[in-house]
C-alpha cells in the first residue's frame, strides 16, 4: 500500500515555509524505503478525501478565509475525517479547523468546526522562539511562533505541549497546539518537522506503525542546538 | 525651534567622535542626535531640494545607487550611500547634503510613510513587496496598506514610478494620478494569491504574466517596458541598457534608474552611459580574500533575493559558501529557508556556515544538496584553498564581510 501525503493549498497556506514539513515527511519516508506519494492540491484542484495525511500551513487573513471556503465546500474536511485521514496543521491551519477565528476589521470568521476550539484576536502579537514539553512521548519541542490569534479549548482537549518558553495557544493557557485521534496542530512553524524530527516520526508512525531509527544526526543536532540556545 | 545650522554642525561633530571612537558607523549616531534636537529636521532640510524616495523588499540599495549615478551626470546629487535607510540615516544624509539640489534616498519599507510626509518627494520609486523578516514586518498586505495610506498624502506634483508586475505595489499606487507603470516581465508572486483589494483569489494568467480580479483590480498597462536589455518608453524609443552588475534583477533596476532620470530631464542614452560602469554597490559583488581563497560577495535576504542570487551565482565559480544568521536585521525566523529551492547549487562545491548553519544544513539535506559545514569563513577558506568562490551571505554577515571588500 502506498501512503499518500496531501499538501493543501500551498499558495494560500504557505507563509512560513510550510512546504518544508511535507518535504521533510516525504524525505524521512524515502530514507526508510517506505513507498509514498505527495499530492499538492492547488486552488481549483479537486481535493481527494481518502488520502492518509493532510498538511495545512500558515497564512494571512484573506488567504486563510479563502482556504476555509474551499475546504468547507462539499464537506471535504468531514469526509476526510470520516475516511480516517489525519491532519498536521500549523498556525492559520490550526485556527481554521476550529469553530471561529478573527480577521482584520474586527470580523469573526466561521471555521471548519472539526476541532472544539475558538480563536480570538489578541494583543500583543505572539512572536518569538517557543519551547514546550511534549504531552506525547517525544523530546522537548522547539519552534518559532508568529500569530496574533489566541486559541481557547471549548472542551477538554490534550494539548501538544506545555509551554516552557513563549506563548503558544494563549498567555493564560500555557500550552501549545492540540492532539486528537486524527489531528495534530501547533503554533510552531519553522518548520516544526525540521527542528523536531521525533515529532515528524510520531505523526508518520500514527499512519505507518513503528518506524526504524533514521541515521540523520543533523536533525538531532539542530534540535539540541535550538533547545540549548533558547532555554 | 533651534536654528538649524548649529544643529547640523553639532550632529556632524557627534558623528565624527563616534567614528574615531569606533562605535558603529558614525552615520547612525549623528542622525539620531539631529532628530533628537530637531524632530522635524528632515522636513526643514528637504524644503529646497527635489527628493526621490526608493523603497521595496528587494533591490532598493542597487536601484538607489543607479539612480544616483544616472542623475549625477547632470546634477548635484546626494544619497545615503551606506544603505542607512531608517530615520537617522535619512536625517544624516540630508544634514550633510546642503549643496545638493537632488537627493536620492533608499528608504526602509516601514519608514516610507514618515519619509513621504517629511520630505514631500518629487518622485517615489516602488519596487516590489514580498515576504521578508516576517517577525518584524508582519504581513505583506499590511505593508502595502501603509504605503497606500501614505500615498494619499503626497503633494500633487509628485510622480510615482511603480512596478506593475507586483500586485501589492499596483494596489498601493493605483489611485494616485501621477503614476508611471513599469514592467520587467517578472512572473507570478509567492505572496499574492489573493486580491489585495477584495481578498478573494486573484486570477493569474496561465503564463503568470498578468493578474486580474472580478472586483475590477487588474495589472495596469505599463508605459515603460523592459525586455531583456531593451527598455521601451512611451514614445516607442528604445534604449539599450548595460550594467556591470550581474543578474536579471540588476538589469531591470538599471532600466528603472533610466526612467527615474528621465523624469528629471536626463537623456536616456546619457543615463544608460552613466550607469553602465557601476559594478559594485555597497560591497555587493565585491572581491575579498580570506586565507588563500578569493571570494566574490553576494547578498541574499529573503526567498525572492535568494532565488535571484542562486541563479546569478550558478554562472560563477564552482565553490560556494553560504552564510546564514538570524539576528534582528536578518529576521529571527529562519522558516523562509524552506521557501527557497536550492537546486541551482546542485553539482557545486557547497559549504555552509553562520549562526544558523544547522538550520541551513537540514534544509540542504532534504533538498539533496551535498555540502559541508564549517565553523567559520576562515575554515571554509582552508577547504576551498587557493581558488575562487562565491559567498552568499544574509544581511548581518554580508555587512560584516563587505568591510573587507577591496576598494578599487
Ligand atoms: Zn478583487
Amino acid at each position: 500500500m502506498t501512503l499518500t501525503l496531501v499538501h493543501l493549498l500551498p499558495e494560500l497556506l504557505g507563509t512560513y515555509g510550510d512546504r518544508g514539513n511535507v518535504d521533510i515527511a516525504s524525505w524521512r519516508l524515502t530514507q526508510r524505503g517506505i513507498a509514498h506519494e505527495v499530492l499538492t492540491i492547488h486552488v481549483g484542484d479537486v481535493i481527494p478525501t481518502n488520502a492518509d495525511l493532510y498538511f495545512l500551513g500558515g497564512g494571512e487573513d484573506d488567504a486563510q478565509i479563502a482556504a476555509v471556503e474551499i475546504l468547507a465546500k462539499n464537506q471535504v474536511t468531514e469526509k476526510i475525517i470520516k475516511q480516517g485521514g489525519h491532519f498536521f496543521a500549523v498556525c492559520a491551519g490550526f485556527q481554521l479547523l476550529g469553530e471561529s477565528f478573527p480577521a482584520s476589521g474586527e470580523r469573526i470568521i466561521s471555521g471548519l468546526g472539526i476541532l472544539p476550539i475558538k480563536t480570538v484576536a489578541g494583543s500583543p502579537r505572539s512572536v518569538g522562539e517557543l519551547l514546550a514539553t511534549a504531552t506525547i512521548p517525544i523530546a522537548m519541542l522547539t519552534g518559532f511562533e508568529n500569530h496574533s490569534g489566541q486559541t481557547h479549548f471549548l472542551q477538554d482537549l490534550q494539548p501538544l505541549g506545555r509551554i516552557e518558553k513563549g506563548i503558544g495557544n494563549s498567555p493564560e493557557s500555557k500550552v501549545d497546539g492540540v492532539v486528537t485521534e486524527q489531528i495534530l496542530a501547533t503554533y510552531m512553524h519553522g518548520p516544526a518537522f525540521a527542528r523536531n524530527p521525533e515529532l515528524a516520526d510520531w505523526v508518520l508512525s500514527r499512519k505507518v506503525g513503528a518506524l526504524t531509527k533514521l541515521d540523520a544526526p543533523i536533525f538531532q543536532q539542530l534540535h539540541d542546538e535550538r533547545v540549548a540556545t533558547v532555554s | 525651534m533651534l536654528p538649524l545650522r548649529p544643529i547640523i554642525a553639532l550632529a556632524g561633530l557627534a558623528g565624527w567622535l563616534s567614528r574615531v571612537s569606533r562605535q558603529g558607523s558614525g552615520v547612525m549616531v549623528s542622525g539620531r542626535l539631529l532628530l533628537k534636537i530637531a524632530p522635524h529636521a528632515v522636513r526643514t532640510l528637504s524644503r529646497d531640494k527635489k527628493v526621490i524616495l526608493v523603497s521595496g523588499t528587494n533591490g532598493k540599495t542597487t536601484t538607489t545607487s543607479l539612480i544616483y549615478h544616472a542623475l549625477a551626470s547632470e546634477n548635484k546629487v546626494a544619497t545615503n550611500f551606506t544603505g542607512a535607510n531608517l530615520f537617522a540615516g535619512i536625517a544624516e544624509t540630508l544634514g550633510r547634503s546642503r549643496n545638493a539640489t537632488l537627493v536620492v534616498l533608499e528608504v526602509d519599507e516601514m519608514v516610507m510613510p514618515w519619509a513621504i510626509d517629511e520630505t514631500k518627494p518629487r518622485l517615489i520609486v516602488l519596487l516590489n513587496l514580498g515576504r521578508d523578516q516576517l517577525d518584524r514586518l508582519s504581513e505583506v498586505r499590511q505593508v502595502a496598506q501603509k504605503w497606500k495610506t501614505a500615498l494619499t498624502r503626497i503633494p500633487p506634483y509628485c510622480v510615482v514610478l511603480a512596478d506593475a508586475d507586483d500586485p501589492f505595489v499596483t494596489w498601493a499606487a493605483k489611485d494616485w494620478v501621477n503614476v508611471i507603470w513599469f514592467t520587467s516581465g517578472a512572473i507570478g508572486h509567492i505572496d499574492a494569491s489573493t486580491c489585495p483589494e477584495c481578498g478573494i483569489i486573484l486570477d493569474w494568467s496561465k503564463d503568470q504574466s498578468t493578474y486580474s480580479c472580478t472586483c475590477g483590480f487588474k495589472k495596469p498597462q505599463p508605459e515603460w517596458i523592459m525586455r531583456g536589455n531593451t527598455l521601451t518608453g512611451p514614445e516607442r524609443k528604445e534604449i539599450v541598457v548595460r550594467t556591470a552588475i550581474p543578474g536579471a534583477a540588476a538589469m531591470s533596476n538599471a532600466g528603472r534608474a533610466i526612467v527615474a532620470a528621465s523624469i528629471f530631464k536626463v537623456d536616456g542614452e546619457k543615463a544608460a552611459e552613466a550607469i553602465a560602469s557601476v559594478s559594485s554597490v555597497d560591497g555587493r559583488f565585491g572581491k575579498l580574500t580570506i586565507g588563500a581563497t578569493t571570494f566574490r560577495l553576494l547578498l541574499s535576504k529573503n526567498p525572492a533575493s535568494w532565488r535571484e542570487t542562486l541563479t546569478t551565482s550558478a554562472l560563477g565559480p564552482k565553490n560556494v559558501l553560504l552564510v546564514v544568521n538570524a539576528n534582528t536585521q536578518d529576521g529571527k525566523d529562519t522558516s523562509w529557508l524552506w521557501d527557497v529551492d536550492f537546486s541551482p547549487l546542485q553539482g557545486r562545491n557547497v559549504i555552509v556556515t553562520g549562526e544558523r548553519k544547522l538550520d541551513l544544513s537540514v534544509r540542504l539535506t532534504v533538498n539533496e544538496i551535498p555540502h559541508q559545514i564549517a565553523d567559520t569563513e576562515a575554515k571554509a577558506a582552508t577547504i576551498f584553498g587557493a581558488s575562487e568562490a562565491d559567498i552568499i551571505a544574509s544581511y548581518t554577515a554580508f555587512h560584516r564581510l563587505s568591510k573587507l571588500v577591496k576598494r578599487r
Side-chain angles (χ1 to χ4, degrees):
Chain A
M1 197 202 85
T2 298
L3 195 75
T4 305
L5 312 182
V6 179
H7 187 197
L8 286 169
L9 309 170
E11 60 272 68
L12 296 176
L13 301 172
T15 300
Y16 298 114
D18 296 282
R19 169 98 222 161
N21 288 321
V22 186
D23 289 345
I24 293 162
S26 171
W27 188 85
R28 296 185 78 85
L29 289 168
T30 303
Q31 297 301 307
R32 295 176 168 108
I34 297 171
H36 67 282
E37 59 175 345
V38 176
L39 295 178
T40 302
I41 300 298
H42 296 284
V43 173
D45 293 347
V46 176
I47 302 172
T49 56
N50 58 350
D52 297 290
L53 181 56
Y54 293 79
F55 290 82
L56 288 167
E60 302 191 0
D61 274 7
D62 288 337
Q64 189 181 13
I65 296 166
V68 166
E69 280 172 16
I70 291 167
L71 296 169
K73 244 178 245 164
N74 309 321
Q75 283 91 49
V76 164
T77 328
E78 286 88 335
K79 282 179 193 159
I80 291 169
I81 292 286
K82 213 169 275 170
Q83 292 176 74
H86 285 192
F87 281 93
F88 178 71
V90 174
C91 205
F94 174 23
Q95 296 175 359
L96 63 79
L97 292 174
E99 301 289 341
S100 65
F101 59 88
S104 59
E106 292 182 21
R107 289 174 293 169
I108 307 287
I109 311 296
S110 290
L112 296 169
I114 62 168
L115 269 180
I117 60 163
K118 182 177 151 184
T119 302
V120 296
S123 181
R125 209 175 163 84
S126 309
V127 185
E129 293 283 341
L130 195 143
L131 268 189
T133 306
T135 66
I136 53 177
I138 60 169
M140 177 82 79
L141 295 161
T142 156
F144 197 96
E145 63 180 328
N146 186 353
H147 55 104
S148 60
Q150 298 182 354
T151 300
H152 302 288
F153 292 167
L154 302 175
Q155 291 172 24
D156 201 18
L157 290 168
Q158 180 188 350
L160 171 63
R162 304 203 180 280
I163 300 292
E164 303 289 340
K165 195 163 182 191
I167 304 294
N169 291 359
S170 70
E172 316 82 67
S173 71
K174 308 233 180 328
V175 298
D176 172 65
V178 71
V179 186
T180 71
E181 283 289 313
Q182 288 170 272
I183 298 169
L184 193 143
T186 176
Y187 271 116
M188 294 183 299
H189 58 261
F193 284 2
R195 291 179 173 206
N196 303 285
E198 292 185 19
L199 178 67
D201 285 354
W202 193 83
V203 169
L204 292 170
S205 68
R206 292 216 288 181
K207 270 289 168 193
V208 299
L211 289 163
T212 54
K213 200 176 166 336
L214 200 62
D215 185 29
I218 188 67
F219 281 88
Q220 201 56 48
Q221 282 172 33
L222 172 60
H223 172 271
D224 296 351
E225 183 229 47
R226 286 289 91 209
V227 171
T229 308
V230 175
S231 50
Chain B
M1 202 173 123
L2 288 160
L4 206 58
R5 217 160 271 277
I7 291 168
I8 295 162
L10 201 66
L13 183 66
W16 178 78
L17 278 171
S18 130
R19 274 189 293 274
V20 290
S21 61
R22 293 175 190 226
Q23 305 167 342
S25 68
V27 171
M28 299 314 288
V29 178
S30 136
R32 209 172 287 152
L33 187 61
L34 183 56
L35 285 176
K36 203 163 191 176
I37 306 166
H40 283 292
V42 167
R43 183 168 296 193
T44 316
L45 288 166
S46 52
R47 205 172 275 157
D48 59 342
K49 299 186 193 329
K50 293 175 183 160
V51 174
I52 300 163
L53 305 179
V54 182
S55 195
T57 307
N58 289 313
K60 45 187 182 290
T61 305
T62 302
T63 307
T64 301
S65 171
L66 293 172
I67 293 175
Y68 167 84
H69 283 96
L71 290 170
S73 58
E74 296 187 0
N75 300 277
K76 187 114 188 60
V77 198
T79 186
N80 44 351
F81 280 114
T82 55
N85 64 16
L86 303 174
F87 306 97
I90 289 165
E92 147 74 24
T93 304
L94 284 160
R96 62 168 164 71
S97 312
R98 273 161 296 154
N99 300 325
T101 52
L102 281 160
V103 184
V104 195
L105 295 169
E106 170 189 337
V107 185
D108 178 84
E109 299 91 285
M110 297 299 255
V111 176
M112 270 301 264
W114 173 84
I116 286 171
D117 289 345
E118 292 293 301
T119 65
K120 306 271 181 278
R122 295 298 175 106
L123 172 64
I124 296 173
V125 182
L126 302 179
L127 302 169
N128 49 62
L129 280 175
R131 62 183 68 185
D132 182 43
Q133 300 185 25
L134 286 166
D135 57 312
R136 179 175 82 92
L137 296 177
S138 195
E139 299 182 347
V140 181
R141 190 181 173 281
Q142 285 175 20
V143 183
Q145 177 68 65
K146 284 195 164 59
W147 281 11
K148 193 176 179 65
T149 308
L151 289 179
T152 62
R153 302 191 297 260
I154 58 178
Y157 53 77
C158 180
V159 176
V160 176
L161 172 59
D163 195 309
D165 297 329
D166 188 309
F168 291 108
V169 169
T170 297
W171 180 66
K174 73 183 174 64
D175 298 328
W176 185 244
V177 280
N178 267 331
V179 56
I180 295 174
W181 298 106
F182 176 90
T183 178
S184 58
I187 51 167
H189 192 301
I190 182 176
D191 294 303
S193 50
T194 55
C195 173
E197 176 85 15
C198 74
I200 69 168
I201 288 162
L202 191 60
D203 194 5
W204 284 86
S205 63
K206 254 216 159 57
D207 64 356
Q208 301 265 293
S209 67
T210 64
Y211 50 85
S212 63
C213 178
T214 49
C215 73
F217 176 75
K218 63 173 197 289
K219 180 171 176 171
Q221 197 60 48
E223 283 95 3
W224 288 87
I225 298 165
M226 186 88 193
R227 289 281 176 269
N229 64 349
T230 307
L231 178 70
T232 312
E235 282 130 40
R236 298 274 165 105
K237 195 181 163 225
E238 291 190 348
I239 299 166
V240 176
V241 183
R242 284 161 297 148
T243 165
I245 308 170
M251 184 57 81
S252 80
N253 289 333
R256 281 186 187 87
I258 293 167
V259 179
S262 78
I263 292 162
F264 296 91
K265 311 277 178 252
V266 176
D267 174 67
E269 299 294 344
K270 229 175 188 175
E273 184 68 41
I275 61 180
S277 58
V278 181
S279 61
S280 170
V281 175
D282 197 25
R284 290 160 174 78
F285 299 103
K287 293 279 169 81
L288 59 114
T289 307
I290 301 173
T293 313
T294 304
F295 286 100
R296 180 175 71 153
L297 181 59
L298 290 79
L299 169 68
S300 271
K301 318 182 281 185
N302 48 50
S305 69
W306 271 94
R307 254 171 250 148
E308 168 70 25
T309 307
L310 287 172
T311 309
T312 307
S313 173
L315 305 167
K318 193 175 162 73
N319 293 332
V320 56
L321 173 62
L322 312 180
V323 195
V324 170
N325 291 344
N327 299 307
T328 305
Q329 288 155 307
D330 303 295
K332 292 184 172 178
D333 179 5
T334 56
S335 62
W336 59 267
L337 284 170
W338 298 85
D339 289 323
V340 180
D341 179 7
F342 289 91
S343 302
L345 290 172
Q346 205 63 256
R348 297 178 77 189
N349 202 0
V350 183
I351 303 179
V352 302
T353 189
E355 289 153 22
R356 301 305 286 271
K357 54 184 179 291
L358 296 180
D359 295 70
L360 183 54
S361 179
V362 168
R363 172 67 192 118
L364 293 184
T365 301
V366 173
N367 215 162
E368 309 285 358
I369 308 290
H371 63 279
Q372 297 177 69
I373 302 174
D375 282 337
T376 60
E377 288 116 17
K379 289 257 170 65
T382 62
I383 299 171
F384 288 145
S387 59
E388 304 238 310
D390 273 354
I391 298 187
I392 307 180
S394 67
Y395 191 85
T396 54
F398 174 87
H399 203 72
R400 174 173 49 78
L401 290 162
S402 70
K403 297 201 175 87
L404 306 175
V405 168
K406 295 185 201 96
R407 307 273 165 221
R408 284 179 307 158

